[in-house]
Amino acid sequence: MILGGTSEAAALAAHVAAAAPDLSALVSLAGRTSAPRPLALPMRIGGFGGADGLARFLRQKNVKAVVDATHPFAAIMPFNAEAACRLAGVPLVALRRPEWTPAAGDRWLDVPDMAAAARALGGEPKRVLLTIGRQELAAFGSAPHHRYLARTIDEPEADHGLAELKLVRARGPFALADEIDLMRREAIETVVAKNAGGAATEAKLAAARTLGIPVVMVARPAKPDVPVVETVDAAIGWLRDHGILPTERGV
Ligand SMILES: NC(=O)c1ccc[n+]([C@@H]2O[C@H](COP(=O)([O-])OP(=O)(O)OC[C@H]3O[C@@H](n4cnc5c(N)ncnc54)[C@H](OP(=O)(O)O)[C@@H]3O)[C@@H](O)[C@H]2O)c1
């Protein structure tokens, strides 16, 4: 079972479906996105009811291995996966893409969480691009003197509490030229980003660098101490090593 919600989960599902068509495999999604992209494996949608519920599911379905390919900012599910796999005796690996690191010319301000990001915007009113998803917009209610542009995949809940909020709905990957265009058109002065890592949404960082715009970079939440791989290929290797996928020569 792949715990999904990322492009890596989708890529791994595609590989598993192609490499082992007879394998009974599935992807689990939380159900946050209204129209998830189609996947190459069957999907189940919705929470399990905590670590105990997930452990029960693993036993009932006789799951042989779990890949936690949830988003780097998923704060709860990785811990549930660790506890559930320990309880059920199922091998677990986390597929976590590397963090972004600043390049020459970047003006990053690292902050530990969204509340700190709101504070870091400072007292001077600014035009701020929020690329943080739709679930944590309310954190910026503590800094109502800024004018916000939030880019989200789905429409945020109505109770985000931000009076000065403009929305743009879009799903990555994003191209550098389009990001530069957006930031220029909207007169963006600061970008708030989560350190998600990965290529699909990295162009905003290059755009900010090009335009000399500061980026308030929110650090990832804590993760449990489990075996980690950083790439889909390495996850495939782990599945081969655990006898889930055939080796390249089919033996
Ligand atoms: N947080 C982000 O910035 C972000 C960005 C892009 C995509 N996502 C994806 O969106 C989903 C939810 O993210 P989140 O930050 O809300 O996670 P979270 O805080 O770690 O999880 C909250 C609860 O959602 C359920 N859940 C999470 N991932 C699940 C999965 N793959 N399958 C079934 N249930 C799941 C679990 O409910 P139960 O306890 O009831 O099992 C979990 O306790 C994840 O799949 C993640 O990969 C998150």
Side-chain angles (χ1 to χ4, degrees):
M1 177 163 72
I2 300 167
L3 301 172
T6 56
S7 53
E8 287 84 354
L12 183 60
H15 178 92
V16 169
D22 296 332
L23 184 72
S24 164
L26 80 160
V27 179
S28 173
L29 298 177
R32 298 282 187 279
T33 307
S34 58
R37 286 196 178 127
L39 294 167
L41 291 174
M43 45 177 150
R44 64 159 301 286
I45 296 184
F48 296 93
D52 290 343
L54 178 53
R56 235 182 344 266
F57 182 93
L58 297 176
R59 289 196 189 101
Q60 274 167 5
K61 301 286 178 190
N62 197 18
V63 173
K64 295 291 183 215
V66 174
V67 180
D68 171 13
T70 55
H71 190 268
F73 276 78
I76 299 170
M77 198 55 180
F79 286 93
N80 287 357
E82 187 280 330
C85 287
R86 188 164 27 82
L87 285 169
V90 175
L92 166 71
V93 71
L95 171 49
R96 291 191 206 132
R97 62 181 92 132
E99 292 187 325
W100 292 316
T101 52
D106 274 330
R107 297 170 60 198
W108 287 14
L109 184 62
D110 291 309
V111 294
D113 54 34
M114 225 38 93
R119 284 195 298 276
L121 293 175
E124 204 59 34
K126 291 185 188 71
R127 181 79 166 131
V128 179
L129 174 60
L130 298 176
T131 61
I132 58 166
R134 68 192 165 99
Q135 294 184 63
E136 293 170 281
L137 295 175
F140 294 87
S142 65
H145 50 293
H146 304 298
R147 290 178 308 119
Y148 296 100
L149 173 69
R151 179 168 65 197
T152 61
I153 295 177
D154 281 322
E155 191 76 30
E157 309 296 322
D159 60 354
H160 53 69
L162 291 178
E164 290 288 337
L165 177 66
K166 179 176 170 183
L167 291 167
V168 45
R169 299 252 318 264
R171 193 202 297 252
F174 300 105
L176 177 58
D178 295 335
E179 296 291 61
I180 290 177
D181 189 47
L182 173 75
M183 290 181 200
R184 280 208 177 117
R185 200 174 57 239
E186 295 288 342
I188 296 301
E189 294 167 285
T190 299
V191 175
V192 180
K194 302 199 234 189
N195 196 336
T201 58
E202 197 177 18
K204 64 188 169 200
L205 304 177
R209 188 182 310 134
T210 304
L211 299 174
I213 296 173
V215 176
V216 177
M217 185 63 79
V218 181
R220 294 179 175 188
K223 298 286 175 178
D225 187 15
V226 300
V228 176
V229 291
E230 292 192 333
T231 63
V232 172
D233 278 350
I236 292 165
W238 185 91
L239 289 169
R240 286 186 185 135
D241 290 348
H242 286 75
I244 306 292
L245 287 179
T247 59
E248 267 170 304
R249 287 186 295 160
V251 291

